[in-house]
Amino acid sequence: MKLRHLILATAAVAALSGTAQAENVLKWGANRDIGSLDPYSFGDSFTINVLNHVYEGLVRYNKDLKIEPALAESWEILDDQITWRFRLREGVTFHNGNPFTAEDVVASLTRVSDESSPLKGNLPAYVSSKVVDDLTVDITLNGTYPLLLNDLTNIHIFDKEWMTENDTLMPTDVGAGTEGYATYNANGTGPFIVESRQPDAKTVFVVNPDWWDEPQHNLDKIELLPVNSAATRVAALLSGEISFTNDAPVQDLPRLVAAPNVEVLEGVDLRTVMIGFPFRDTLTTGEPNPFKEKAVREALYKAIDLDLIHQRIMRGKSRIAGATIAPPIPGYVEALDELPGFDPEASKALLTEAGVPEGLEFEFNCLSDGLVNEEQFCQAIASMWSRIGLSPKLDVAPRAVQSPKRTNANTDVYTLGWATLPLLDSYSPLLQIFHSKDGNAGVFNWGGWSYPELDGLIDAAGKELDLDTRLSLQTEALQIVKDEMIMIPLHQQPMAWAVTDDVSEMPLFPDAKPRLWFARMGDGS
């Protein structure tokens, strides 16, 4: 009894002296930083995912990746078939205490769909929205469109009053170097609040005590720590300096699996890694562009040893892809997944027949902070292309450097990874990558291609409400993409996360997006 009284007395003194109970702080070691605190600033799924902890949409994906209500409680399509009415959740407040209303929804949709918005392609059918009353908003589309809810999962809602006060009603753009108040400040409705930010060093999120939803996590704080070096990231995990990474290097997985304080979570990402080509008349060197010819694109495709990349660079953890979408994505059929076959001699013959000069120089643009082992597989592919008589100039740099080159057509061949987010549907790459540039379509058509038949199929699919008919149209469109070799797929990249033993629960999602409002630390209580 005396010992028990002593313990209670000591605990009481500690409480009176201001000593707090240890916080549950999840230290997230990522391979790079977010581009901005403005989720509309660039079509980058990592940045958008991180900011999903701060901002929310009208709807969201649940733990099973099914769409469920979020800031909207319900919705219906009105009689004209192009207007959707959303009933909003009552009692929601922004992090600054302002109430959430229909005005905020309209202002946010206006901002993200603005012509200058890098994310305007994420709302391809949007025309306008209007306030019906404080908790009701109507969204009008340009025709019948089956995927609005999918689109809205990643359209974050801002506080109109906050945007007006801080002159940030217009979107920012990382690629164009356009910044604003929302670049460095945030005010959402989500489960976590931005406490502080040091770009490229640390961003701290603290729990939102006034979140409208019932928390399933037990976190007090998240620290996002960019750790660009894979070796440093592994060392930090082993030492406990970080407690979670969503990018465990595939070459270090055996070491991490053997560590007593680390658990590795593995899967195959939905993201398909592809190589894109310029379709303009000249290369960056000023020479005529041979990549406009399908035979030349085929030559480069056949020169890539996909199995070697899979085995040596991806350590057998990737899935070799013949299609530009992964098998779980609606619109995929097995016939799209056939591989061209590794045949360097056939590549040389195709180049000779097309009249491509020996030693042709072109830029090969890759990211140092992008896809899994991107620098290594780019080096391997550049070497393979050199062996068939070409002279690729490998240009590897961070996303912040490469994005403006890509969006402004200041490079030649480039890499791209696409996970069909936020739609989780093949309409996503068809509209945003493979459609001709036209308004909200073709936002990521950096090569400048245009196929009228392909555009027609995509446009028809975007208006088709019958699921089977829509998917048939999308599969037909994907067949054209494959036949024309508009982009060449390499693989679906491996997904490997790792946590230390103080993390008791960390669901692994096939879209590779950490949702830390489901994470738990300690004994899980």
Side-chain angles (χ1 to χ4, degrees), residues 39-56:
Y40 295 174
S41 61
F42 185 65
D44 168 37
S45 58
F46 177 71
T47 295
I48 294 171
N49 168 227
V50 171
L51 294 176
N52 255 334
H53 294 78
V54 178
Y55 290 97
E56 297 176 293

Side-chain angles (χ1 to χ4, degrees), residues 1-9:
M1 292 295 290
K2 288 183 179 179
L3 180 59
R4 180 173 181 273
H5 289 158
L6 177 60
I7 292 172
L8 291 173

Side-chain angles (χ1 to χ4, degrees), residues 309-378:
I309 292 171
H310 169 68
Q311 295 293 345
R312 299 243 184 118
I313 297 173
M314 312 310 289
R315 303 301 199 275
K317 303 288 187 179
S318 61
R319 178 189 176 276
I320 299 174
T324 51
I325 58 169
I329 301 301
Y332 169 92
V333 295
E334 193 173 350
L336 295 171
D337 224 354
E338 294 177 356
L339 300 173
F342 174 55
D343 192 343
E345 293 306 314
S347 296
K348 292 177 184 178
L350 285 166
L351 292 176
T352 299
E353 187 177 345
V356 176
E358 180 80 17
L360 175 77
E361 289 189 1
F362 58 92
E363 285 193 4
F364 183 23
N365 182 292
C366 298
L367 305 181
S368 61
D369 57 355
L371 302 161
V372 174
N373 288 354
E374 181 168 352
E375 186 168 353
Q376 294 96 313
F377 73 67
C378 281

